[in-house]
């Protein structure tokens, strides 16, 4: 080893490893909401792992995520990424396939329609969810369907009485990718886990003619009618998507749903260190590593003699 170059190299490595904070970083603070009976510490750690997977999937591998107290986590990242990451973390990303009990086809035009159908007493195993009638696009131009730009425009709302228990949900998806359907419309192709394939085939073969709601974070994004059993591991989700919609949904499925719901409770820019704190920071980050490696360098040189 060329020892005259050892000290500078080790100093550079030590300073890089210390992770000097960027001045333009921002910090988002989130409250984690464990379910009753769950181990809070374990839920927080699993939520941090979920956040890492999601941010890496969407192209932010450098975000710093750490616990803040008992039930909070902080996400630190450059300011220019802040707005998109805010939006990414606002979604739990839970995709579910649930059977529709009412109406049999399409959706109801109002909540009142569903309540009237059940004479004002909606069964305990039914949830009423909202969805969009359709999305309106202006053709194949910059804001048109398939362009990948814009999110379309809701033309109205429909309501669905769906079973609370899902047939399959996010953990049952092994992988997903955006693609194009036979008519050129953006879709999401997915592959189920081996454990889910048999269960899904059995349930769909027993439910031909039923409507299956595809639900993302409690909102119906599509409600196709089953015309044949879905027996293989592969499937398709279509929902009047733009290319951006399809890419976003595929990335959510690949990253997995967040382990627990989170809400943003604070946002701030870490304050620069001043005075005594700044001096202590310099000692910890620069002087101590420098003294350590100088001592190591001296020891190695003495051994050489």
């Amino acid at each position: 080893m060329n020892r005259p170059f050892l000290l500078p190299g080790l100093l550079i490595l030590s300073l890089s490893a210390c992770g000097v904070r960027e001045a333009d970083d921002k910090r988002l603070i989130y409250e984690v909401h464990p379910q009753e009976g769950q181990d809070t510490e374990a839920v927080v750690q699993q939520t941090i792992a979920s956040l890492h997977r999601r941010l890496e999937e969407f192209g932010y591998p450098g975000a710093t995520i750490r616990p803040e107290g008992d039930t909070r986590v902080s996400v630190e990242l450059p300011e220019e990424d802040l707005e998109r990451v805010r939006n990414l973390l606002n979604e739990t990303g839970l995709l579910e396939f649930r059977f529709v009990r009412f109406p049999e086809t399409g959706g109801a035009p109002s909540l009142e329609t569903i309540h009237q159908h059940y004479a004002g007493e909606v069964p305990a195993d039914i949830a009423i969810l909202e969805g969009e009638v359709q999305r309106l696009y202006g053709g194949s131009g910059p804001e048109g369907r398939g362009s990948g730009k814009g999110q379309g425009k809701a033309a109205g709302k429909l309501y669905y009485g769906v079973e609370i228990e899902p047939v399959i949900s996010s953990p049952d998806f092994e992988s997903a990718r955006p693609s194009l359907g036979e008519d050129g419309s953006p879709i999401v192709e997915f592959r189920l886990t081996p454990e889910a394939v048999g269960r899904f085939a059995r349930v769909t073969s027993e439910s031909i003619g039923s409507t299956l709601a595809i639900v993302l974070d409690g909102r119906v994004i599509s409600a196709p009618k089953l015309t044949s059993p879905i027996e293989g591991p592969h499937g398709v989700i279509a929902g009047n998507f733009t290319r951006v919609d399809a890419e976003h949904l595929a990335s959510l499925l690949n990253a997995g749903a967040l382990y627990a719901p989170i809400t943003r409770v604070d946002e701030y820019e870490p304050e620069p260190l001043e005075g005594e704190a700044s001096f202590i920071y310099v000692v910890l980050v620069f002087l101590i590593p420098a003294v350590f490696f100088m001592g190591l360098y001296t020891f190695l040189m003495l051994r050489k003699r």
Side-chain angles (χ1 to χ4, degrees):
M1 180 183 293
N2 193 351
R3 286 192 174 124
F5 295 99
L6 179 64
L7 178 60
L10 290 173
L11 284 174
I12 290 171
L13 286 173
S14 68
L15 294 179
S16 299
C18 288
V20 179
R21 190 177 64 208
E22 295 292 336
D24 60 350
D25 277 4
K26 295 284 187 178
R27 184 172 294 173
L28 304 173
I29 306 297
Y30 288 88
E31 183 80 27
V32 181
H33 303 285
Q35 295 181 1
E36 186 176 353
Q38 288 183 318
D39 182 286
T40 299
E41 183 178 356
V43 170
V44 169
Q45 291 301 323
Q46 288 164 325
T47 299
I48 289 174
S50 297
L51 291 172
H52 272 298
R53 285 195 302 271
R54 178 171 297 188
L55 292 179
E56 287 174 3
E57 178 69 30
F58 281 93
Y60 299 103
T64 301
I65 307 173
R66 55 171 65 95
E68 289 267 337
D70 293 334
T71 60
R72 293 186 176 186
V73 297
S74 72
V75 180
E76 192 170 330
L77 68 164
E79 184 174 8
E80 62 266 22
D81 299 332
L82 196 64
E83 185 60 33
R84 186 175 182 224
V85 169
R86 269 201 217 102
N87 294 333
L88 287 178
L89 301 188
N90 281 341
E91 298 176 277
T92 301
L94 178 62
L95 188 76
E96 300 171 304
F97 285 17
R98 303 197 208 175
F99 281 115
V100 177
R101 291 269 197 91
F102 180 83
E104 293 183 2
T105 58
S110 67
L111 285 170
E112 290 73 19
T113 303
I114 297 180
H115 282 288
Q116 288 172 4
H117 173 76
Y118 289 110
E121 295 185 6
V122 179
D125 60 344
I126 297 293
I128 301 176
L129 301 183
E130 182 181 294
E132 293 178 0
V133 173
Q134 61 180 6
R135 295 192 173 205
L136 301 181
Y137 300 91
S140 58
E143 300 300 324
R145 186 174 182 175
S147 69
K149 298 182 180 180
Q151 294 296 310
K153 184 178 180 181
K157 295 179 181 179
L158 291 176
Y159 298 88
Y160 302 82
V162 304
E163 295 182 358
I164 288 179
E165 287 298 320
V167 180
I168 55 173
S169 61
S170 289
D172 296 313
F173 292 90
E174 187 172 84
S175 62
R177 68 184 185 94
S179 186
L180 295 176
E182 294 180 357
D183 62 351
S185 301
I187 59 173
V188 174
E189 296 178 343
F190 64 82
R191 180 183 179 88
L192 294 175
T193 63
E195 296 79 12
V197 171
R199 183 172 76 250
F200 197 43
R202 175 179 56 78
V203 172
T204 55
S205 66
E206 295 171 353
S207 307
I208 302 301
S210 298
T211 299
L212 190 63
I214 301 174
V215 181
L216 179 63
D217 286 345
R219 186 176 183 83
V220 177
I221 60 174
S222 182
K225 183 175 284 292
L226 284 172
T227 57
S228 61
I230 303 174
E231 297 178 329
H234 299 283
V236 167
I237 302 172
N240 288 320
F241 300 134
T242 65
R243 234 179 311 177
V244 171
D245 293 333
E247 290 170 358
H248 184 80
L249 178 56
S251 293
L252 282 178
L253 286 174
N254 287 326
L258 296 183
Y259 192 78
I262 61 174
T263 53
R264 182 161 52 88
V265 295
D266 201 2
E267 176 182 322
Y268 64 93
E269 180 177 351
E271 296 180 0
L273 297 171
E274 297 179 358
E276 182 179 350
S278 179
F279 173 75
I280 294 172
Y281 181 76
V282 170
V283 169
L284 291 175
V285 173
F286 294 100
L287 295 186
I288 291 178
V291 169
F292 171 78
F293 285 116
M294 286 177 67
L296 178 61
Y297 177 74
T298 303
F299 172 75
L300 293 173
M301 292 300 292
L302 290 174
R303 285 192 62 185
K304 182 180 178 181
R305 294 178 186 176

